[in-house]
Amino acid sequence: MRDPGFMVQDQAQEMAPDTRARDVEVQLTRAGLGLARRLGDGAGGLLFDRLLRILEARHPRAFTALGELPDARLLIDPVDAPAALLLRVGPTLALRVCDRTAEAEATVRGPCARLLDLLEGRIDGDALFFRRELSIEGDTALILALRNTLDGEEMDLFGDVAAAAGPLRHALPVARRNAGRALDLLAAARRFAPPPVRWGMAVLERRLIGPRQGA
């Protein structure tokens, strides 16, 4: 029989790469929102239309249900990201980047990582709400309907997108396994780089991701 202490250690080691991979995915999401905001509704809108088509192909039941909802707008606001998302449900389903002051029938606000966890069913929305990591405003019936639609879908946002990328889909599991090492290498590169390079990296990060709230 194995020492329970070793089991805990093993479990922690198994969980660590997943946590680091989630850190990378959150940074990519924030960078993607910043880029989409700069691209505007034209090119940025095309990217979101493509994303919706990919997700619809992977989750047809959920998208059929979303299309049957009454026409309404849901503001999804990752508070530590440079922009928010406006999801229009109903017959004209659409997703666009927007300012966090955009008008909507309902709003969900929370950290980017928690909203991704919520989308992918990794965490219970009620627990987030009671821990005040998530705030809800407006039409709660709309939010409940969206939650019921996504319930049981086992959505993996990055996995779904990678699956539509042909041969690149094989790279995602490898990237997730090595996310921690990649982050460590980037941190080391930043730490030992000469000041002009560090400043350049910081400027590039701000341009891609945008300023953090409260920074």
Side-chain angles (χ1 to χ4, degrees):
M1 182 176 178
R2 300 188 67 182
D3 185 335
F6 282 102
M7 293 180 66
V8 170
Q9 185 178 9
D10 289 348
Q11 289 170 354
Q13 290 172 342
E14 289 174 0
M15 290 298 294
D18 184 67
T19 302
R20 303 299 295 274
R22 176 54 94 190
D23 290 343
V24 173
E25 290 167 358
V26 169
Q27 291 186 38
L28 288 174
T29 301
R30 295 178 64 235
L33 285 173
L35 177 62
R37 186 177 64 173
R38 284 165 175 76
L39 291 175
D41 283 342
L46 292 176
L47 289 176
F48 282 116
D49 288 344
R50 173 62 178 157
L51 175 62
L52 285 184
R53 285 196 297 272
I54 290 172
L55 294 178
E56 183 177 13
R58 304 275 294 178
H59 306 280
R61 183 200 65 83
F63 274 74
T64 298
L66 287 175
E68 293 173 349
L69 291 174
D71 187 31
R73 297 160 302 175
L74 175 66
L75 181 65
I76 304 168
D77 183 5
V79 295
D80 52 352
L85 288 167
L86 191 66
L87 173 65
R88 185 165 188 168
V89 299
T92 55
L93 188 65
L95 181 67
R96 290 290 184 272
V97 70
C98 66
D99 293 331
R100 44 181 42 99
T101 56
E103 292 185 3
E105 281 69 37
T107 300
V108 178
R109 285 194 172 89
C112 188
R114 291 294 176 260
L115 292 176
L116 282 174
D117 289 341
L118 192 64
L119 171 68
E120 298 181 347
R122 295 188 180 204
I123 195 167
D124 180 62
D126 292 339
L128 289 177
F129 179 77
F130 287 115
R131 292 207 307 257
R132 298 184 179 180
E133 293 186 64
L134 194 72
S135 68
I136 296 172
E137 302 168 12
D139 186 355
T140 53
L142 172 61
I143 295 172
L144 287 174
L146 182 65
R147 171 185 163 178
N148 293 337
T149 298
L150 297 177
D151 191 31
E153 274 301 312
E154 297 183 356
M155 190 173 290
D156 176 356
L157 183 61
F158 287 86
D160 289 340
V161 172
L168 290 179
R169 68 182 183 276
H170 301 298
L172 182 65
V174 177
R176 281 177 163 166
R177 283 197 301 273
N178 294 284
R181 187 179 305 170
L183 286 175
D184 291 341
L185 287 173
L186 285 174
R190 183 192 295 268
R191 189 164 56 251
F192 293 111
V197 175
R198 289 203 302 271
W199 297 334
M201 294 172 69
V203 170
L204 179 61
E205 183 178 276
R206 285 197 298 272
R207 286 181 177 176
L208 286 174
I209 301 178
R212 293 174 183 270
Q213 190 178 59

